[in-house]
């Protein structure tokens, strides 16, 4: 049977390889060493393009925990050595890159905080002096691809942009945008943020929707990449919750409104500039998670991560953190309980 499979026409082999799951890139690695004809198919740039167009949505290949540890969720190893060193904390992952900031002041240059842009699969990194100085204790930041014409299915290398958002104890939120091409930070307009606790801006997660980044900072801060300005919107409910990409590509929000139920909303800007939220659906987690995971007497539960552009979320429970695919309803434990998770999504195709 194996010999018969190896004698398949190249176009049939190509069709089979295209359907190997992107969430397990080790399958592609193993296929590349089966024989030279298969290796040539996988190494062809045209196959990479077809593979990305076929699957479109990158998979979660790993995750960063609070202490900078990188945990692979596939059989593909990582070259990132950050486990347990407490040298860097994750701020964001997007377009095949991770953004890290130092815990210790010893990882600063003068008064400036040094940000690290990392590809955890290859180990390529670049360090950038941020506009945040030692007097700013809390800030949030995001990374995104800046390559012209990129479809972002499988970003690897190339120019990138960084966004940094800080909130002062006077209730003013400021922002900056960095280009790796010009190596210049551009300061954005500020926005009033009254009654906010400035420590709420402590690595707040973000989501990219069309031409804007949204940060969940005691309310929602919009950073418009084209207009270079900040705006503030209300969340659909007060308290805990996470921004995400809604089905259809718009802005979404997800929260556990009680111990067992997830509620999803979709947001659109209204005629007067306010955000209008529409409740989409409610999901009973008891039907997805193992028995005993959602014990009512524990406070260590909640949504502790969202994979942007997918329907994959991470839920911290009494017995650990689970990766939950809301579309396929697949669930598996990936980390301990009570840890914030920054998922890393990408495509990996062996060269």
């Amino acid at each position: 049977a194996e010999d018969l499979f190896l004698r398949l026409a190249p176009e049939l082999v190509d069709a089979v390889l295209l359907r190997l799951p992107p969430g397990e890139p080790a399958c592609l690695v193993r296929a590349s060493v089966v024989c030279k004809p298969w290796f040539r198919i996988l190494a062809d740039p045209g196959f990479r393009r077809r593979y990305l167009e076929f699957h479109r949505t990158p998979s979660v290949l790993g995750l960063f925990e609070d202490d900078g540890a990188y945990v692979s969720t596939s059989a593909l190893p990582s070259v990132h050595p950050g486990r347990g060193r407490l040298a860097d904390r994750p701020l964001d992952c997007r377009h095949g890159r991770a953004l890290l900031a130092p815990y210790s002041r010893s990882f600063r240059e003068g008064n400036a905080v040094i940000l690290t842009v990392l590809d955890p699969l290859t180990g390529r990194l670049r360090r950038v002096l941020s506009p945040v100085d030692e007097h700013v204790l809390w800030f949030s930041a995001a990374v995104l691809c800046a390559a012209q014409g990129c479809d972002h299915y499988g970003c690897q290398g190339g120019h990138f942009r960084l966004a940094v958002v800080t909130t002062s104890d006077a209730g003013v939120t400021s922002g900056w945008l960095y280009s790796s091409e010009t190596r210049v930070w551009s300061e954005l307009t500020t926005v009033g943020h009254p009654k906010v606790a400035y420590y709420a801006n402590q690595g707040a997660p973000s989501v990219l929707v069309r031409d804007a980044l949204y940060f969940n900072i005691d309310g929602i801060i919009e950073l418009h990449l084209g207009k270079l300005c900040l705006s503030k919107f209300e969340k659909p409910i007060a308290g805990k919750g996470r921004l995400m990409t809604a089905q259809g590509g718009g802005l979404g929000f997800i929260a556990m409104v009680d111990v067992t139920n997830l509620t999803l909303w979709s947001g659109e800007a209204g005629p007067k500039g306010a955000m209008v939220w529409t409740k989409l659906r409610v999901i009973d987690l008891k039907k997805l998670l193992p028995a005993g995971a959602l014990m009512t007497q524990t406070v260590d539960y909640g949504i502790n991560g969202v994979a942007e552009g997918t329907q994959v979320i991470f839920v911290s429970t009494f017995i650990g953190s689970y990766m939950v695919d809301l579309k396929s309803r697949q669930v598996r434990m990936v980390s301990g309980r009570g840890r914030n998770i920054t998922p890393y999504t990408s495509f990996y195709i062996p060269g």
Side-chain angles (χ1 to χ4, degrees):
E2 182 178 354
D3 291 340
L4 178 62
F5 193 61
L6 291 175
R7 290 199 299 270
L8 286 175
E11 59 270 19
L12 294 179
V13 175
D14 185 275
V16 171
L17 296 179
L18 276 178
R19 286 158 175 80
L20 291 177
E24 285 299 338
C27 294
L28 289 168
V29 176
R30 289 192 291 268
S32 68
V33 298
V34 169
C35 60
K36 289 183 178 180
W38 287 27
F39 174 81
R40 286 194 291 270
I41 291 175
L42 288 167
D44 182 67
F47 175 84
R48 175 181 176 82
R49 184 181 62 255
R50 294 191 301 276
Y51 190 82
L52 300 182
E53 291 174 349
F54 183 83
H55 293 281
R56 301 183 69 87
T57 302
S59 297
V60 178
L61 299 185
L63 55 93
F64 286 88
E65 297 178 335
D66 308 72
D67 62 354
Y70 180 80
V71 180
S72 178
T73 57
S74 72
L76 189 71
S78 165
V79 299
H80 178 58
R83 176 177 292 277
R85 293 188 307 145
L86 290 175
D88 296 293
R89 59 187 174 99
L91 295 175
D92 192 37
C93 287
R94 184 177 293 106
H95 298 161
R97 301 167 176 87
L99 180 62
L100 309 173
Y103 275 102
S104 171
R105 293 193 177 188
S106 62
F107 288 84
R108 302 185 178 200
E109 183 172 317
N111 292 330
V113 176
I114 303 174
L115 301 177
T116 299
V117 180
L118 169 73
D119 182 340
L121 299 182
T122 65
R124 290 195 298 265
L125 61 84
R126 181 166 170 180
R127 302 194 189 277
V128 177
L129 289 178
S130 78
V132 179
D133 61 30
E134 63 181 0
H135 302 293
V136 177
L137 296 178
W138 312 120
F139 66 97
S140 301
V143 60
L144 63 154
C145 173
Q148 294 294 323
C150 183
D151 54 21
H152 307 309
Y153 292 157
C155 300
Q156 285 188 337
H159 289 297
F160 59 86
R161 288 193 282 182
L162 302 178
V164 169
V165 177
T166 66
T167 302
S168 69
D169 54 5
V172 176
T173 296
S174 306
W176 294 264
L177 195 63
Y178 174 83
S179 166
S180 67
E181 185 173 10
T182 63
R183 301 191 179 187
V184 172
W185 287 95
S186 301
E187 189 168 359
L188 312 181
T189 60
T190 60
V191 63
H193 207 160
K195 300 181 181 179
V196 65
Y198 68 92
Y199 53 80
N201 196 337
Q202 182 180 4
S206 65
V207 63
L208 176 66
V209 178
R210 292 183 282 273
D211 199 29
L213 282 162
Y214 295 88
F215 294 85
N216 188 8
I217 306 172
D218 196 19
I220 299 173
I221 297 296
E222 179 194 62
L223 190 161
H224 199 284
L225 298 169
K227 299 177 182 177
L228 299 181
C229 65
L230 300 175
S231 304
K232 180 179 178 295
F233 301 103
E234 297 297 325
K235 297 188 291 188
I237 61 169
K240 294 182 179 179
R242 290 274 180 150
L243 294 167
M244 65 181 301
T245 307
Q247 289 183 332
L251 181 64
F253 193 84
I254 185 168
M256 294 182 72
V257 295
D258 55 37
V259 176
T260 63
N261 289 329
L262 284 173
T263 303
L264 286 80
W265 290 265
S266 175
E268 290 290 342
K272 296 183 179 180
M275 187 69 68
V276 178
W277 294 100
T278 302
K279 185 182 293 187
L280 298 178
R281 58 176 171 149
V282 177
I283 299 172
D284 186 356
L285 281 178
K286 293 197 303 292
K287 297 180 179 179
L288 296 178
L289 297 178
L294 298 173
M295 298 179 64
T296 56
Q297 62 264 38
T298 180
V299 296
D300 290 329
Y301 73 89
I303 303 167
N304 56 345
V306 172
E308 182 180 288
T310 73
Q311 291 293 297
V312 176
I313 67 170
F314 296 82
V315 180
S316 178
T317 74
F318 181 72
I319 57 179
S321 292
Y322 288 86
M323 183 167 69
V324 180
D325 190 323
L326 300 177
K327 185 177 181 180
S328 68
R329 303 181 76 83
Q330 292 182 332
V331 175
R332 64 165 162 154
M333 184 183 289
V334 293
S335 184
R337 69 177 184 177
R339 300 174 183 173
N340 285 319
I341 286 174
T342 306
Y344 174 79
T345 61
S346 185
F347 284 104
Y348 179 85
I349 302 175

